[in-house]
Amino acid sequence: QVQLVESGGGLVQAGGSLRLSCAASGHTFNSYAMAWFRRTPGKEREFVASIGWSGDSINYAGLVEGRFTISRGNNKNTIYLQMISLKPEDTAVYYCAGRAGYSARYYSSSEYADWGQGTQVTVSS
């Protein structure tokens, strides 16, 4: 059974930084694409960033491009989301997602089979 465990959320002032981590375990795929999504109350879960198995293929949502950086650790089963210049509108529960696959071209939550429990990020103004 695949498990995704996020960490690193918290409370930060506007303009500050946070780094989220997500460790995947239990999958047996040769390649495993991963992503970050976020959800605010009353809204659908929205795509934030995705990364392919090699780490070379990366995509960002327009709202975070230039401020957020997704990366993959050396063991490939851990990903990170470095967030800088945070804004109050970045406040959300951030979820790590994963699926079998090499590419980063998966943008919809319905394309991901595995999910973490979520970590709260709160940006105060």
Side-chain angles (χ1 to χ4, degrees):
Q1 184 176 357
V2 178
Q3 278 195 315
L4 301 178
V5 179
E6 303 105 334
S7 61
L11 173 64
V12 65
Q13 287 190 329
S17 305
L18 279 176
R19 189 172 91 148
L20 307 182
S21 300
C22 174
S25 62
H27 77 81
T28 59
F29 306 115
N30 291 329
S31 57
Y32 193 69
M34 298 179 73
W36 290 97
F37 286 76
R38 67 187 184 186
R39 181 160 61 190
T40 54
K43 291 189 176 181
E44 296 289 324
R45 200 173 289 186
E46 66 174 358
F47 172 80
V48 174
S50 61
I51 187 166
W53 179 240
S54 70
D56 294 334
S57 177
I58 289 174
N59 288 288
Y60 294 100
L63 287 174
V64 308
E65 192 157 18
R67 299 187 298 120
F68 291 10
T69 302
I70 189 171
S71 60
R72 200 182 272 275
N74 288 336
N75 72 2
K76 291 194 172 182
N77 284 311
T78 300
I79 65 168
Y80 305 95
L81 186 69
Q82 178 67 51
M83 305 182 291
I84 66 170
S85 302
L86 282 161
K87 305 174 182 180
E89 50 264 44
D90 293 317
T91 296
V93 178
Y94 283 71
Y95 295 90
C96 175
R99 59 158 291 151
Y102 192 86
S103 170
R105 295 179 185 177
Y106 304 108
Y107 311 115
S108 171
S109 60
S110 63
E111 296 179 289
Y112 289 87
D114 306 313
W115 292 87
Q117 78 286 356
T119 186
Q120 177 71 46
V121 170
T122 302
V123 184
S124 63
S125 57

